[in-house]
Structure formats: C-alpha cells, structure tokens
Amino acid sequence: MTRPLLIAGAHIVDPATGHDATGDILIRGREIAALGSFDAPDDAARIEGRGLVAAPGLIDSGVFRSDAAACLAGGITRVLLMPDQKPPLDDPALVERAMRIGKPHVWVHPLGAATQGLAGTELAEIGLMKEAGAAGVATGRRGIPDPATMYRLLQYAAGFDLVTVSHCEDASLLGEASATAGETATRLGLPAAPAIAESIAVARDVRLAEAAGARLHIRVVSTAESVDIVRRAKARGTRITCGTTPAHALLNDGEMTGYRTFARLSPPLRSDEDRRAVLAGLADGTIDTVSSAHDPRTQEEKRLPFAAAAPGMAGVETLLPLTLMSLGESGDAMRAVSLLSTTPARLFGLPGGTLAPGAPADIVLFDPNRAWRIDASAFGHPADNTPFDRLPVTGRVAATIKGGEVVFQR
Amino acid sequence: MTFAPDLLTPVPDGAHPFPHDHLLGIEGLKPWEIGFLLDEAERWSDPGNSRRRSGALAGLTQINAFFENSTRTLVSFEIAGKRLGADVVSMAVAASSVKKGETLLDTALTLNAMHPDVIVIRHEAAGAVALIASKVDCPVLNAGDGAHEHPTQALLDALTIRRRKGRLAGLKIAICGDVLHSRVARSNFHLLATMGAEVRAVAPPTLMPVGVERLGVHPYTDMAAGLADVDVVMMLRLQRERMAGAYLPSEREYFRFYGLTEERLSGAADDVLVMHPGPMNRGVEIATAVADDIQRSAITEQVEMGVAVRMACLEVLTRPARGIEWAGNAWSAQAPAGDRA
C-alpha cells in the first residue's frame, strides 16, 4: 500500500458536505479517508494547500473530445462525452470502448446516442447502453426535429431512469443559419436564425418531458426566453435541469465581427441582452451546470468563410476561470464547484463530486486569486481555437489529483 | 444635371484619400474616401471624352476569380481592366479547382503564386473575399461576397445618382425588394448613409433583415409609405427561389404589393430616378413601362457607370504597385491623364 497523502491547510470547498473552511484532506489509496481536522498519520506524504482551494475534481458535463492532458490542466477529472463521435456512440460496445479511452487519469462517462446514428429518427439501444455504462442519453449536436420521436425517447429513457440531454434548436427555424439574427449578422450578411429557434425547442422539450415524467437536461441555454422557460418549469417542480457554457455567458454575437470563425459556435453567440440573461440564470440558480462544450477544431475546419467553418472551441483548460468570471463579484468558489462538479455528479449519478470520506480521491487544487492570461498556443493539444485567447482571467489550477494520484501539477 | 464639384466632401488636411490595400466593402470607408473614388470614376465616365482609355495598367496582370456565376459584373470588370491596358485573365473557379476539393485558401495561394497585380473576386460565402485578401500579396477587389457587400455596385449607383442629382447628401433614397439576401442593398446602405442621404429599406417583413435600422436605415413594409417623396428608387432583383422558402406566396402577389409601377411612383418626387442593378425581372419587381421610361430610368446608365467605377477602383488600388504614392498632400506621380494607349 502506498503512503497516505495529506493536503494540508487548504480552503476546502465541498458543496455536498457543506465544507467551506480551512482544513486538511487525507487520502488513502484511491479514496478520501478524512476531511477537516484530524490527526494526520506520520507517514503521510504532504501537499501544501495554503492559499489554495481544494475542491472535488471538476466534471465537465458536455465535451465532444476528451483530451486528457488538457482536461487535467483544467482541473477536470471526469467528463461526460457527447455521443457525436466517429462512429456515433449508439451501440453498447462503442459506449464501453469510450469509457476506457481516458483511463486512468480522466474518466470518460459517455452519453449514449439517443437515436441510431444520431439521425433523430429511430431509438438507439438505450437500455443496453445503460448496462454498458452510459451516464445518460443525448440527442447530439442537433435536437430531434420530430416531436413524437422526442416524446417517445423521453418516455423510454425515463423507464431506465436515464437523463436525456437535449440540444435545443428548432431545426426548421435554424435552417442553414450560422449566426443569431441581429445587427452583427445583418452587417456581415450571414445566414441567421432568430433566437427563438432555441426557446421554441426548449419549450417543446420541457413540455414533453413533463408529460413523460422524464428527466431532461438541456445542455446549453443561451437566450433570455430559454432561461425564463426553465425557471418557470423549475417553479412547477419538474425534473428539468439545464446548463450553459462560458462562451454563452461571457460573449455576445459582436464577437463574430470580422468573420472570426473562433466565435462560430453551436448554439451561436447571442445578443448581449440574452447573454446577460444567462448570467442572471447562473446567479439565481436556474442554470445548474457549466460545461466547456470542448470541441477543438483544426485549422482546416476553421480557416474557412464563417458559415462554412465548423462550430466549436477548445474549452477544458479555461472552464474554471471562465466560470468564476461568469459568476462575477458575487460568485464564490462554492457556487462554481457546485456548477462544475457536485451538480453534474448528482444529475448523472457519477462517483465523485464530493470530498466526503469514502468518495474517490478526485481533487482539484486551485488558486482563486491567481491572475493569468489565457494563451491558446500553450494549450496541451494541437487545436488551439478559443475566442478567449489573450483574455486576462483570475483563478488557476495548481494541481489535479485523480484516484489519489497527483496527475497534474503546475 | 452635371456633377457639381463644390458639393464634394473634401479630403481633410493630412488624410490619405484612400489608405486601403483592398476594396472589400463600403462599411467603414470615410465620406471623403468614397468621394475620392467617385471623383476618380468621374474622370473615366464621360462618353464623349477620349479619356475613357489609358495605358495606366499596361504590363499589369488582373485576375478575375469568380467563384459564383456572373455575366454582367465579370464583363464589366474585364472591360474596365482592358480599357486601362491591363492583361486580364478571367477564371470561373466554380467550374474548376473547387470541385476537385481544393480549399479556398489553397486556391488563393495558387492565384497569388501567379503574381497578379490585382485580383477581382466574387464568392457565394460572406467573408470569403476578405479571407482570400488576407493571404495574397496584391490588392483585392470584392465583386460580391454572399449577402455581405458588393462595393463597386454601390459606387456605380452613387456615381449615377450624383451625375443625375448633383449630390447625395440630403436625398431621400428607397431601396426596395429582397433586402435580406442582398449584398447590393447592404453596400448601398453603408455608402448612402455615410454620404448623408436619408436611406429607406422597403421590403416585405420576411425579406427585411433584423437590426437594419442599426445601419442607419429606415425600414418600411408598406411600399407607398416607403416611396413617399423619394428622390431615388433602387429596385432589387427578386430571386425566384424565394417562393420555395415561404418568404413570399407568388410573383403576382409580390408585384401587386412591391412591384414598381407608374401608380406607385406617383407619391415620389416628380423628378424621381429609378434604378435597378440588373438583371431585371420585368413584371415581378418592376413594370416594363417604368423600366423603359427614359426620363426617369437610369438603368442603362448604371451599367455604363459600372465600367467607369471599376476602372477607377482598379487604377487607384494599383497605384502603390505602379510607384504612385500619396505624399501627404498630392500624389507622387501624375495620375493617368487618360491618353489613348
């Protein structure tokens, strides 16, 4: 047995246990053995935690790629992998294989494809995928256009008590659009869809999920109307949850000016009014999770005319500081950790998300006051496209511990 | 009426009349930069004058790379280049390398490797021309990119208006039709608003872009209201495929409510000027009687001014390559006098 590991004198932030004070964490093997104040064993290896926040390892609740080194540099120890892979994760064998790709350092929890080939028409083998380890099912990059299919999907997934993760954009209103209709899209002459393309799909899926008694998680809400619809649904006591991304909380459609394809995202960036509604939703608890939507693109996919460029950005390395920034002055580390770890673990039934004794020793140590500048060229993978390049941010990961092992240290 | 030089926007002291490597759009151009291009175009526009030809671009290579089908604009750029003495090569790129999977930037690098002195580009995607311009070493002229901009069309429209009306500032100008999908409309909005005209966009609600008023344009969905007292009406071509997208029910309904007829023009100024970038759909957006009314229609004059404007743009953009630099208050060498080559 390896020596126990002691994280000494860190500010422990653990929403699940309510810990929000300076203390120690003892790790034995792959698990957390003790938390708070206790007598540390003499033989323990020691990590100095002074000035750092110790929180449960971050769980990115929606990535399209699971770049392990980049995740660890961002304090992420588990990811929910979207089914939009090649081939799509619509089969139990593919789900099982996807679970192994990140181990041992980043655990991948696949979301099974809700429909075969993500085509949006025929259900995939949801029950078998759950047995193979799927943490939920997802509609993929696009929503399911047909309401009857979506309704049956929600009913069927509810039978297995699986969360359905939905991409909410009405396919017909979206059409070939690559931008949100508004001043910037009009100036640039880009094909654009109205922001209601999202809220109409949100309203539909919320109603269908209520009728089906299903657990629905809307992966990204990015408009004022969408946030409002979810807020009302929650007030009715439904099991609907939603997430957003730092880009949709911090950037508006003006970022597209000059045809900057790094700002080509899905859903597209919105008006500043919508962006501020997302911030309000984060502040009042309407929005449950923040995911990176990590989807780095190659130069070949981005150095194209705006509408032809692939949507997506690299996001795992900047998830924590940008979430802190989204929460603003009032935002504390507790709320950030809830959005980035505790809530995703609870929603998807994942191990981790807490520092309670007996939990996996997945821990992120970060300096909440450390100012730095995002530098995409230093990212740990070849695709370095982020609309946040060169942005000064605050809060930096100092170390990442996965299963009791220090797997990243800055 | 002939154009009145005293109504020009003078170049401020110390400013360069056109400090741009490329002409990618009208948005962002200063009033005096637009005025400078119009003045230069004026020099090439007089049909009775021998200055319609020059050897200014002799020995220079002009490539017209058209990724989207075009007849009129391509011919206009070819004639403009040839009248300036350039070696003009036109290629319909849509029919060649793109089909073989070559990326846009590789096509740009290929063009660049041929060492052209100016490239004229049309592309179906908004922003594509700017993307190519960032990768080549010579001036690039945007001949239309998606629904973004078509700067030489706006310049030729402005030149036509200025020759007929003597000014741009203060005129009421309505741009009517499929504004949503129109690069001509966008370039004209920018140009006319910058030059101080009162610009109106007249379109059915389905073809009106969101936020158009932020471009300094007044939107109208009622054509009679939009045309009230206007000095100029610019009609836009209606693409027939708009019916399929449920933008409009039928051509006859469109003509009934948005077609330009004698009756509808009655609310405009008595000396209203009627314009159309072509090609026209007679009986769809414009009645034949209006299009052919030689008193009011400037449609053929627009085509003529198109060549003059493109000559001016080609000549101005190639000045640095020809050793003609702006010396702070004048050009370092004589701009072409327009002698017959």
Side-chain angles (χ1 to χ4, degrees), chain B residues 237-272:
Chain B
R237 176 180 168 78
L238 183 77
Q239 303 286 335
R240 304 262 167 142
E241 60 263 26
R242 297 300 167 228
M243 311 304 158
Y247 290 98
L248 297 169
S250 69
E251 288 181 4
R252 71 173 184 179
E253 178 154 323
Y254 184 77
F255 185 68
R256 171 71 185 81
F257 292 98
Y258 293 96
L260 190 65
T261 59
E262 291 284 355
E263 186 191 358
R264 200 151 271 139
L265 267 179
S266 62
D270 292 339
D271 60 345
V272 65

Side-chain angles (χ1 to χ4, degrees), chain A residues 181-183 185-190 259 303-306, chain B residues 27 104-105 125-127 131 135 147-148 186 209-210 214:
Chain A
E183 182 188 346
T186 292
R187 281 184 189 279
L188 296 174
L190 291 172
Y259 300 101
R303 286 168 73 178
L304 292 168
F306 191 89
Chain B
E27 186 175 12
L104 187 59
L105 287 181
L131 187 64
K135 296 292 165 195
H148 177 222
R186 281 172 180 74
V210 174
R214 299 294 299 272

Side-chain angles (χ1 to χ4, degrees), chain A residues 62-122:
Chain A
V63 301
F64 293 86
R65 269 179 53 184
S66 60
D67 301 298
C71 284
L72 295 175
I76 293 163
T77 55
R78 294 172 191 271
V79 296
L80 283 153
L81 180 67
M82 291 295 288
D84 310 73
Q85 309 295 317
K86 288 178 183 169
L89 305 181
D90 63 354
D91 176 279
L94 295 169
V95 167
E96 205 171 309
R97 194 176 68 178
M99 287 181 70
R100 289 200 296 265
I101 55 179
K103 285 185 179 178
H105 295 334
V106 175
W107 284 27
V108 172
H109 300 279
L111 294 168
T115 56
Q116 292 175 33
L118 288 170
T121 48
E122 294 170 75

